[in-house]
Amino acid sequence: MEAVVIDANIAVGLLVERPWSALAEQKMLEWGSRKIQICVPALWTGEVMSALRKAICLHQMEQDDALRLVSAMEAWNVQIHLPDTALNRSSLIWAERLGQMVAYDAQYLALAEYLKADFYTVDKKLFNRCQEIGVPFVELLT
């Protein structure tokens, strides 16, 4: 089965109104119709929950709405990949290649590389850096 890796910002765009929300919805429908498996590293869940919490604190949504959205995420059929030694090692190598002090973005790249999947992001800075270092499997949701 074909797979894609998505960053947390794409999920956030499906839950909270963002400039890329319509594009995220369109891609999710496309991937669903093509039976493409959506995959994420384990940290994705925490990143999405943090974004929901931030939206609550900024009065962009109510707590009860956020709780309902968490339940709605189950319908997305996202496959969460727990890191193993190989993925952890790869994420450290990717963080080095990216020139980043932390390995959050690198975990997405390590998973996409492992799955031989495209990685979709809305992070223009990350996308541009990947273009600079010649990473062919990163797509900017635009």
Side-chain angles (χ1 to χ4, degrees):
M1 172 182 276
E2 189 179 353
V4 295
V5 175
I6 64 168
D7 73 7
N9 286 317
I10 292 176
V12 172
L14 295 167
L15 301 171
V16 181
E17 187 60 37
R18 296 289 185 254
W20 60 88
S21 291
L23 288 170
E25 289 175 24
Q26 180 183 5
K27 271 296 184 190
M28 289 292 281
L29 289 171
E30 176 189 326
W31 293 326
S33 69
R34 294 176 47 205
K35 306 282 191 251
I36 293 174
Q37 178 65 59
I38 298 164
C39 300
V40 297
L43 73 101
W44 178 85
T45 305
E47 289 187 316
V48 174
M49 293 308 107
S50 292
L52 287 176
R53 180 65 192 145
K54 184 176 179 180
I56 293 165
C57 291
L58 293 174
H59 306 289
Q60 296 172 340
M61 72 171 44
E62 297 294 322
Q63 175 85 2
D64 289 343
D65 294 329
L67 293 171
R68 278 191 290 280
L69 290 172
V70 170
S71 296
M73 288 172 56
E74 288 182 35
W76 297 350
N77 195 29
V78 172
Q79 188 175 72
I80 299 172
H81 289 259
L82 297 174
D84 59 13
T85 301
L87 280 175
N88 284 332
R89 290 173 59 92
S90 181
S91 70
L92 287 176
I93 292 166
W94 273 107
E96 176 72 21
R97 286 184 69 193
L98 293 169
Q100 294 183 341
M101 189 180 300
V102 296
Y104 298 113
D105 293 338
Q107 290 189 32
Y108 291 93
L109 291 166
L111 180 60
E113 179 181 54
Y114 171 77
L115 296 173
K116 295 177 179 47
D118 285 336
F119 167 55
Y120 284 81
T121 184
V122 297
D123 184 335
K124 290 179 184 175
K125 185 177 176 185
L126 174 59
F127 174 77
N128 290 338
R129 179 64 183 138
C130 288
Q131 293 299 295
E132 289 171 10
I133 63 173
V135 182
F137 57 84
V138 177
E139 300 286 340
L140 184 64
L141 190 69
T142 56

